[in-house]
Amino acid sequence: MTVFAVEYVFAPDSTEARDKHRPAHREWLSGLSGEGKLLTSGPYADGAGALLIFSASDETELNEILKQDPYAGAQAIAGIRTTEWTPVIGLLSGYNA
């Protein structure tokens, strides 16, 4: 499995949509965490976006997962940046070895 860092940039004026869909978004994230696909996630302190760390076989699988996010359906995400990531020190080091 490959580890990916995913950065969400929230759409301007999406606070109401995110508030409305947050319970479903977090339930979706919890399910992925239970499956071992989501390693950790959380919003940025300034509210502009979030960082999510996933484990997936490849970027195609990751993109299919991300399409299912309730925030995506609510058009609360203005941009997504995905980067293959190799953790070498810390809790996730050696995860994709």
Side-chain angles (χ1 to χ4, degrees):
M1 294 303 244
T2 303
V3 176
F4 292 93
V6 176
E7 293 181 84
Y8 279 178
V9 175
F10 294 141
D13 303 320
S14 67
T15 302
E16 187 176 318
R18 286 185 283 121
D19 288 347
K20 178 180 178 182
H21 294 280
R22 184 171 291 114
H25 168 74
R26 289 199 174 160
E27 183 177 337
W28 174 76
L29 290 173
S30 292
L32 292 171
S33 178
E35 295 172 18
K37 293 182 181 190
L38 177 70
L39 305 178
T40 192
S41 69
Y44 294 132
D46 66 2
L51 176 65
L52 306 93
I53 306 295
F54 284 93
S55 174
S57 58
D58 55 32
E59 198 162 354
T60 300
E61 178 189 12
L62 175 66
N63 288 332
E64 288 302 314
I65 291 169
L66 295 175
K67 288 179 188 177
Q68 299 170 28
D69 188 341
Y71 277 2
Q75 299 181 339
I77 304 167
I80 298 175
R81 178 177 180 230
T82 62
T83 306
E84 189 173 327
W85 182 53
T86 306
V88 295
I89 297 173
L91 296 174
L92 298 176
S93 63
Y95 186 85
N96 58 350

